[in-house]
Amino acid sequence: MDHEHYSKERSASLDLLLRFQRLLVSKLYPGDSVGQVPNTYSPDLLGVGSLLKKYTALLCTHIGDILPVATSIASTSHRHFAEVSRVVDGDLTGSILLPELVVSVVLLLSKNAGLMQEAGAIPLLADLLEHLDRFNHLAPGKERDDNEDLAWPGIMGSFFTSQSCRNNEEVTLIRKADLENHNKDGGFWTVIDGKVYDIKDFQTQSLTGSSIL
């Protein structure tokens, strides 16, 4: 009930920001302009893109100031994490603004990558990833949630078939030279936290290109 009361108190300003954010996204969404000559954008469209960048910069600056402090306090204990999460949830950092903005930018990127690169809002959001990752890694049950997020055909299929015999087998050691040679031959292995992952299947699906992968 307290949370609901607090949400009502901030709903007017949050609703105004959300409407403004959605207005910017709607103006940038291709619509009837699909099929226009690539890399030719009207001054009005570039102006909206510039406005989106300024709006994103202000939002990201605020979140970038809040999250490191929140992470520092939340790392004390699970109880601290729960309290900090409640406070963050009441702030712009934990509101609907950021997740909806990220989804909207991804949508716009898939529809008109050139315009979004001109706007320059994506690098600003990318700078938040490290802050968000550090905070989320403090969450209780993170490993369980990560396993559930990876529960899609192709990963979990091999997971279940190999899980039973994993304890009886030695972990395969892949040297740096092995990884480099595999990738030179057209493979796509990457190292995350000391473990080697094959992300070849993502290469053809990625909208951002191999360099970011």
Side-chain angles (χ1 to χ4, degrees):
M1 291 176 64
D2 291 340
H3 177 72
E4 183 179 356
H5 177 67
Y6 185 68
S7 298
K8 288 181 178 178
E9 286 183 348
R10 66 185 175 93
S11 62
S13 58
L14 178 61
D15 184 62
L16 182 62
L17 283 173
L18 192 57
R19 286 170 181 264
F20 177 69
Q21 180 174 298
R22 289 174 176 174
L23 180 63
L24 291 176
V25 173
S26 67
K27 293 294 183 182
L28 290 170
Y29 191 78
D32 296 333
S33 63
V34 175
Q36 68 178 9
V37 180
N39 301 323
T40 59
Y41 309 111
S42 68
D44 289 345
L45 205 57
L46 292 174
V48 176
S50 176
L51 201 55
L52 177 65
K53 180 180 180 180
K54 291 179 181 178
Y55 168 80
T56 304
L58 289 172
L59 186 63
C60 290
T61 298
H62 173 77
I63 297 173
D65 291 338
I66 294 293
L67 277 180
V69 179
T71 302
S72 176
I73 299 173
S75 62
T76 307
S77 68
H78 289 332
R79 182 177 179 182
H80 282 79
F81 178 84
E83 288 297 319
V84 168
S85 297
R86 186 177 63 81
V87 174
V88 168
D89 190 48
D91 179 74
L92 289 178
T93 308
S95 71
I96 192 176
L97 288 176
L98 180 61
E100 186 169 308
L101 179 62
V102 171
V103 172
S104 298
V105 167
V106 170
L107 173 64
L108 292 172
L109 181 64
S110 67
K111 294 291 184 180
N112 198 334
L115 178 60
M116 291 308 296
Q117 289 174 358
E118 286 280 344
I122 298 173
L124 298 173
L125 289 171
D127 290 340
L128 288 179
L129 291 177
E130 186 175 350
H131 294 306
L132 290 167
D133 197 47
R134 285 177 180 172
F135 184 78
N136 288 333
H137 268 69
L138 299 175
K142 174 188 72 69
E143 293 182 359
R144 182 197 64 225
D145 292 338
D146 285 347
N147 289 335
E148 290 177 355
D149 289 339
L150 291 173
W152 61 282
I155 287 185
M156 294 308 286
S158 58
F159 175 79
F160 285 122
T161 55
S162 60
Q163 186 73 3
S164 58
C165 58
R166 180 173 295 179
N167 295 332
N168 300 325
E169 295 180 357
E170 290 188 12
V171 176
T172 302
L173 180 64
I174 299 178
R175 299 172 302 169
K176 184 178 179 181
D178 297 331
L179 184 140
E180 292 174 349
N181 290 333
H182 177 81
N183 289 348
K184 285 179 182 178
D185 293 336
F188 209 155
W189 287 355
T190 188
V191 181
I192 303 173
D193 293 335
K195 297 179 181 178
V196 178
Y197 296 86
D198 186 352
I199 57 173
K200 179 71 175 178
D201 290 342
F202 289 99
Q203 187 177 14
T204 55
Q205 302 172 16
S206 173
L207 297 172
T208 57
S210 298
S211 58
I212 294 182
L213 275 180

